[in-house]
Amino acid sequence: AQAQQAMENMWDKTSVAKEHRDLQWFKDARFGLFIHWGLYSQLAGSWKGKRYYGSGEWIMHQAKIPVKEYEQVAKEFNPTDFNADAWAQLAEDAGIKYMVITAKHHEGFAMYDSRVSDFTIVKASPFKKDPMKALADATRKRNIRFGFYYSQFVDWHETNGGGNEWDFDANKKNYQLYYQQKAIPQLKELLTQYGPLSIVWFDLPGGLSKAETQSLVDSLHALQPQSLFSSRVGQGLGDYKDFGDSEVPPVPIKGAWESIYTHNDSWGYIEHDMNFKTSGEIIQLLANVASKGGNLMLNVGPDGKGNIPYYSKKYLEETGKWLVVNGESIYSTTAGFIPAQPWGVTTAKPGKLFLHVFNMPQNGKLLVPGFRSGVDKVYALAGKKQLSFKRRENDIIIDLSASTKAPADTVFVVEYTDDNK
Ligand code: JFZ
């Protein structure tokens, strides 16, 4: 209870409910795809023969690469295998409802056609096209919500941007000037040239007071009032809450929120990182996050040629196959009202409790404790086969001895009449 109170207080401080903005689509979505793609993808975790591990998108910082040298990477960056339709199709096949991609990460390189800077994929790389435009179109065609990640403060390419203290003197930086000259104009480009953006995913705030952040947020929301801004815009001004990386709250949290995970150990592509989560792990993670009332946004890191790694494709497609059968227990659900059990977690819809069984009970008897409502029926979600069950005071004991196990998460449904909460 104490943990729950602490989490709720944190929620109140970090996000303000914006009644006029539609949060329902976001709460219903449950599964998003995050994509980190930039010049770091071309470096693939290596610089001058030395390998780096973890957060490949931080390589410029890790190796303290001078701006002038880093600019040369753009000349080699030519993602000729990039296929917006294939990426959007993968997202659709995976059962993903929204996509957020890095329009500009900390390296400062615009992955879109920006007039504000010369350091862009169109002007500085041989590719010369705008992949963000193609992705905005490809996702729209498939009814997948689309949004941009934009590193508003950290920009290692700019004298006055946040973070680069190996080329530039931190004491001489004028962050206001950087915001005026680059971050704000680029955000305005993104909010006006790519159709409706469902999300602007800000990251690592800095250099602005609360009042300045408020006016930044207001001026950007004026361009697209329905666009949701992530809580990392800072000063508690986001529309929904993002937890720390790879973090799921221990108890259900109210409001709109998201947990972000990356598929392996890095956000940006690293050639020597093969530590991918299997589809089973992704499915359990998705169910676990949904059981607390939130969304999972899972990241993939395409390579410098524009290919999504083989294992990301494979495991995402397998996740999608599970969702075709079991999606009803994930999308548009709320947190389960039975807390996590040794066998798994729960999600809910009016009149239905979904049991996500990760570990089938050895003796074939599944115990659902503390269920006060009258139960109408219990069945397996796949195939709808009804199961026999017994009541023991406030417990339900379900006979699973004849049930077939699904990979990673076998879902059972308890249909009940009165309100259990
Ligand atoms: C940031 C970035 O620095 C990183 O490269 C990546 O894009 C990630 C998604 O976001 O890193 C953070 C930012 C905030 C927290 C952790 C990592 N946090 O609040 O715990």
Side-chain angles (χ1 to χ4, degrees):
Q2 222 177 336
Q4 175 134 28
Q5 195 52 53
M7 295 301 277
E8 279 172 13
N9 290 345
M10 180 166 94
W11 160 254
D12 286 342
K13 281 203 209 78
T14 47
S15 183
V16 185
K18 306 292 194 306
E19 319 74 52
H20 59 284
R21 256 185 284 288
D22 173 21
L23 287 164
Q24 197 55 49
W25 76 262
F26 182 84
K27 289 189 193 162
D28 288 340
R30 286 295 175 257
F31 195 18
L33 185 67
F34 209 0
I35 303 180
H36 277 64
W37 196 39
L39 295 181
Y40 45 81
S41 315
Q42 177 67 26
L43 294 179
S46 296
W47 179 253
K48 297 199 168 159
K50 184 166 180 249
R51 283 180 167 194
Y52 295 80
Y53 196 82
S55 291
E57 73 287 356
W58 274 77
I59 194 164
M60 181 177 177
H61 185 278
Q62 288 172 319
K64 304 278 175 281
I65 305 173
V67 169
K68 289 289 161 241
E69 276 184 62
Y70 199 81
E71 282 179 344
Q72 301 308 307
V73 181
K75 296 188 177 153
E76 264 114 66
F77 182 58
N78 192 12
T80 47
D81 290 346
F82 170 71
N83 180 335
D85 273 305
W87 288 17
Q89 190 58 47
L90 173 64
E92 184 178 325
D93 293 345
I96 270 157
K97 303 296 182 191
Y98 63 101
M99 178 191 285
V100 175
I101 183 162
T102 49
K104 186 204 83 174
H105 204 268
H106 306 337
E107 63 181 3
F109 185 69
M111 287 292 287
Y112 72 99
D113 188 12
S114 173
R115 272 172 295 174
V116 175
S117 162
D118 288 333
F119 196 42
T120 81
I121 187 165
V122 176
K123 292 184 223 169
S125 89
F127 190 62
K128 294 198 170 19
K129 291 182 285 282
D130 183 341
M132 300 296 128
K133 190 98 203 65
L135 271 178
D137 295 341
T139 46
R140 195 169 305 122
K141 243 190 272 166
R142 291 168 176 80
N143 283 321
I144 294 167
R145 299 253 182 179
F146 185 69
F148 287 124
Y149 167 110
Y150 188 88
S151 175
Q152 76 273 29
F153 172 60
V154 179
D155 191 317
W156 300 322
H157 185 259
E158 308 302 326
T159 322
N160 293 308
N164 182 342
E165 285 161 21
W166 58 98
D167 278 323
F168 310 119
D169 184 348
N171 299 313
K172 290 190 188 142
K173 285 186 184 181
N174 182 342
Y175 296 130
Q176 304 284 330
L177 199 60
Y178 155 77
Y179 272 103
Q180 279 164 32
Q181 293 182 338
K182 187 168 180 185
I184 295 172
Q186 285 200 329
L187 282 159
K188 289 190 171 167
E189 289 179 322
L190 293 168
L191 279 156
T192 51
Q193 292 169 23
Y194 296 86
L197 291 190
S198 292
I199 291 176
V200 180
W201 215 94
F202 294 90
D203 200 3
L204 298 182
L208 295 181
S209 66
K210 173 139 190 178
E212 288 163 343
T213 308
Q214 184 72 64
S215 86
L216 169 82
V217 162
D218 291 345
S219 67
L220 296 176
H221 264 145
L223 301 171
Q224 288 208 36
Q226 285 304 336
S227 180
L228 303 182
F229 294 177
S230 72
S231 55
R232 289 187 189 173
V233 72
Q235 309 282 359
L237 293 174
D239 296 303
Y240 69 89
K241 161 105 183 94
D242 260 286
F243 281 88
D245 302 356
S246 310
E247 191 186 350
V248 182
V251 291
I253 299 290
K254 281 185 244 144
W257 60 270
E258 173 185 77
S259 286
I260 55 167
Y261 275 75
T262 189
H263 194 185
N264 50 5
D265 290 327
S266 174
W267 302 94
Y269 178 70
I270 287 190
E271 206 176 6
H272 44 276
D273 179 351
M274 284 291 144
N275 195 21
F276 293 100
K277 291 166 191 68
T278 62
S279 47
E281 291 172 296
I282 296 170
I283 290 163
Q284 292 188 357
L285 190 55
L286 184 60
N288 188 27
V289 176
S291 81
K292 308 291 169 43
N295 290 353
L296 171 69
M297 182 160 73
L298 183 73
N299 177 76
V300 298
D303 67 17
K305 279 278 146 230
N307 295 301
I308 292 177
Y310 170 82
Y311 285 106
S312 291
K313 253 190 269 172
K314 172 180 157 68
Y315 292 138
L316 278 172
E317 280 165 359
E318 289 173 10
T319 303
K321 293 213 173 90
W322 180 88
L323 278 165
V324 167
V325 179
N326 298 286
E328 192 194 332
S329 69
I330 298 288
Y331 305 121
S332 304
T333 58
T334 53
F337 45 87
I338 304 293
Q341 296 298 313
W343 45 257
V345 299
T346 64
T347 54
K349 275 185 184 165
K352 284 180 184 175
L353 180 72
F354 298 100
L355 314 174
H356 296 264
V357 180
F358 302 162
N359 309 301
M360 293 287 262
Q362 293 273 310
N363 63 0
K365 305 255 178 284
L366 190 85
L367 171 69
V368 184
F371 194 99
R372 291 186 299 276
S373 303
V375 175
D376 294 337
K377 57 176 175 179
V378 178
Y379 56 93
L381 184 53
K384 305 280 188 286
K385 185 172 168 274
Q386 252 179 263
L387 302 170
S388 58
F389 63 92
K390 281 189 308 201
R391 294 304 307 248
R392 191 184 64 195
E393 294 176 11
N394 282 338
D395 298 341
I396 317 172
I397 298 156
I398 305 168
D399 181 10
L400 297 185
S401 55
S403 301
T404 359
K405 194 181 174 304
D409 179 2
T410 315
V411 182
F412 300 96
V413 188
V414 177
E415 278 194 16
Y416 62 96
T417 23
D418 47 15
D419 185 18
N420 189 58
K421 283 168 265 178

